[in-house]
Amino acid sequence: MNKTVICLGAGYNQIQYIKELKKRKYDVICVDKTKNSPGFKFCTQKIISSTHDYTKTPFIIKKLVKKDVNIVGAIAPTTGNPYKTLQEIKKIYNLNYLHKKKYNLLLDKKMMRQRLNKLGCSKISIVNYNKINDKNFQPIVIKPRFGGSGSKDIKIILNYKNFKKNLSEIKKDKFIVEEMVKGKELAGDLIWADGTFKFINIGWHLFNKKTNEIVGATSQKIDRKIFDQFKRKVKKVCKNFGLDKEVINIDAIVDIKKNIHIIEIEFVPHEGIFLGDNCFNYNLVKNYVSCYLSEPIDAQFSRKKEAFVSVIDTRFSKKKENQNLEKFHYHKNLKKKKNTPSKPNFIGISCSKPDKIEKILKDFFKDLVVERSL
């Protein structure tokens, strides 16, 4: 009997993972609410159901999948509530899963902030908006309490007038208000398995200096003290939550005193990895699958460390060549079909000399910086 893996999601972001599973001769059951999801054409069985509905979807899967199918694993290469659905599916099929109490805490940004502060992994205060007035106002960040990822739906409020304008939204329990910490934002991708890091890569977020929006990340050479501090704090989080085998992306901020504050935790690589087979000289898609199926994970020390830039939906200058540019990867949109979602362009640049990356950025991209202009 063939081994079968359940994959939550069948959109563009999940295609690489589905193909990797098929390459390893696994049957793949894909679950997605969109009937014409592009990943369905690569799977063994498709199930039309919302990956976000963690109360109904696991039981729909159980009902539609034949009892003699050998389910050996389940993955959810996406963000937010599907992680809850994944744990409930794993529970049904007697796979290693995270308890409800823990995954609820991980996905509730208010509870997560409180836990991170308690662990000493951040010092970002939750602000009581009822006590804010025009005299004591300090810059704040408003973000959805549940769901969302990265910079989605996050607002930086720099003055009291703007705060008053957003107050009706803030009063809803769907949002949390945090103090704004000035600094540079880190983007980290890692594989945690068997109580240790199997892979870790961190770099700086890139911002459009005109809009202050996150548009990508660059893996520059990171100060060793910052890197070690990042590892210590992430390790503390993984152990505190009893995480077994997880692929994690973490956003953090390094303040002016070089203290790291963890901002967000998601259980999927950053988006720029989705369309690249070998970003950071490491196949994270392949090893994502290996991690969740308890198969051997490639050692990260075998890779040659390099600087890498991943930029979303960015217009680049007319200059097409640069003497410092050794490799250039340009991932175009997949062919858009009727009624299917489009995916933004991803541009990837890699260079073996991290100190050259700033020049490459200036030569190729407009308006990109690694620190918000606040």
Side-chain angles (χ1 to χ4, degrees):
M1 185 186 302
N2 218 14
K3 294 178 179 179
T4 302
V5 176
I6 296 169
C7 178
L8 295 184
Y12 292 133
N13 287 347
Q14 289 80 44
I15 287 176
Q16 293 251 21
Y17 300 92
I18 299 165
K19 285 184 174 180
E20 180 63 32
L21 287 164
K22 296 295 287 185
K23 192 190 299 183
R24 301 188 194 195
K25 309 299 182 184
Y26 286 101
D27 285 340
V28 183
I29 297 170
C30 283
V31 184
D32 202 296
K33 68 177 181 180
T34 306
K35 292 181 181 180
N36 59 350
S37 291
F40 279 149
K41 66 181 180 181
F42 302 104
C43 69
T44 311
Q45 179 183 353
K46 66 178 181 180
I47 294 175
I48 311 298
S49 186
S50 172
T51 59
H52 288 256
D53 193 339
Y54 56 90
T55 58
K56 294 180 181 179
T57 294
F59 296 99
I60 291 172
I61 294 170
K62 186 180 180 182
K63 181 180 178 181
L64 296 178
V65 174
K66 293 180 180 178
K67 290 183 178 180
D68 61 347
V69 172
N70 183 21
I71 304 292
V72 297
I75 64 172
T78 183
T79 60
N81 274 341
Y83 187 73
K84 292 184 179 183
T85 309
L86 178 69
Q87 305 312 316
E88 295 302 319
I89 291 168
K90 287 182 173 183
K91 186 177 179 181
I92 287 173
Y93 287 101
N94 295 316
L95 302 170
N96 195 22
Y97 70 96
L98 201 63
H99 192 273
K100 185 176 182 179
K101 187 177 180 180
K102 287 186 177 179
Y103 71 60
N104 277 336
L105 200 160
L106 281 165
L107 298 177
D108 181 333
K109 290 181 174 64
K110 184 176 182 179
M111 292 173 65
M112 171 57 85
R113 173 60 56 223
Q114 291 167 336
R115 176 63 66 87
L116 288 172
N117 288 348
K118 189 176 180 180
L119 291 172
C121 295
S122 83
K123 290 183 179 179
I124 301 175
S125 301
I126 296 175
V127 177
N128 184 344
Y129 60 83
N130 288 314
K131 293 184 177 181
I132 296 176
N133 56 53
D134 57 344
K135 292 181 179 179
N136 68 11
F137 179 83
Q138 295 291 329
I140 56 174
V141 176
I142 302 170
K143 62 174 70 173
R145 182 172 175 176
F146 306 98
S149 63
S151 60
K152 188 179 179 182
D153 298 323
I154 292 176
K155 293 181 180 179
I156 296 176
I157 308 295
L158 298 175
N159 55 64
Y160 185 70
K161 183 180 178 181
N162 206 4
F163 165 73
K164 292 288 286 183
K165 190 188 295 185
N166 287 274
L167 191 57
S168 58
E169 281 294 308
I170 294 171
K171 285 183 176 180
K172 298 176 184 177
D173 196 40
K174 294 179 181 178
F175 292 87
I176 65 167
V177 182
E178 297 178 345
E179 68 168 320
M180 194 197 78
V181 176
K182 289 185 178 181
K184 293 165 67 175
E185 290 188 21
L186 284 174
D189 289 282
L190 59 102
I191 298 176
W192 173 266
D194 306 319
T196 189
F197 296 111
K198 298 293 184 178
F199 168 81
I200 186 166
N201 193 91
I202 61 174
W204 299 114
H205 264 143
L206 284 170
F207 298 91
N208 183 313
K209 65 185 178 185
K210 290 183 177 179
T211 64
N212 270 328
E213 293 177 344
I214 296 174
V215 292
T218 171
S219 172
Q220 292 167 282
K221 190 174 183 180
I222 303 295
D223 183 277
R224 186 73 204 183
K225 289 181 180 178
I226 292 175
F227 184 78
D228 289 343
Q229 184 187 166
F230 180 85
K231 281 180 68 176
R232 283 197 307 273
K233 291 187 174 181
V234 175
K235 188 174 184 178
K236 190 180 286 187
V237 171
C238 292
K239 291 203 167 186
N240 185 265
F241 282 95
L243 300 181
D244 179 33
K245 298 178 188 297
E246 296 284 359
V247 177
I248 305 169
N249 90 52
I250 288 185
D251 292 338
I253 191 160
V254 182
D255 66 23
I256 55 175
K257 293 182 179 179
K258 294 192 175 181
N259 294 315
I260 291 178
H261 309 270
I262 295 177
I263 303 173
E264 300 276 347
I265 299 175
E266 293 284 357
F267 298 94
V268 66
H270 275 93
E271 261 187 312
I273 311 294
F274 284 133
L275 299 180
D277 289 330
N278 203 1
C279 294
F280 312 120
N281 273 334
Y282 191 81
N283 193 326
L284 199 45
V285 170
K286 171 189 169 186
N287 288 289
Y288 174 101
V289 172
S290 294
C291 176
Y292 287 113
L293 296 183
S294 297
E295 294 183 2
I297 297 169
D298 292 339
Q300 65 170 338
F301 57 76
S302 63
R303 70 192 180 111
K304 179 183 176 185
K305 176 65 177 175
E306 65 178 356
F308 187 89
V309 181
S310 174
V311 182
I312 290 179
D313 199 19
T314 303
R315 297 176 183 178
F316 50 105
S317 67
K318 293 180 181 179
K319 190 171 182 179
K320 294 182 179 180
E321 294 182 5
N322 184 291
Q323 60 182 359
N324 297 318
L325 186 62
E326 295 174 8
K327 288 182 281 183
F328 182 70
H329 312 289
Y330 180 38
H331 306 291
K332 290 185 177 180
N333 280 342
L334 295 175
K335 190 175 180 181
K336 187 176 180 182
K337 296 180 181 178
K338 192 176 180 181
N339 297 325
T340 58
S342 62
K343 191 70 190 167
N345 288 341
F346 286 84
I347 298 136
I349 291 179
S350 52
C351 170
S352 63
K353 296 180 179 179
D355 59 327
K356 301 290 186 184
I357 210 75
E358 288 286 358
K359 180 168 172 49
I360 291 173
L361 284 173
K362 288 176 183 177
D363 286 345
F364 269 78
F365 304 109
K366 297 177 180 179
D367 305 322
L368 298 189
V369 293
V370 296
E371 193 162 6
R372 291 188 203 255
S373 54
L374 298 173

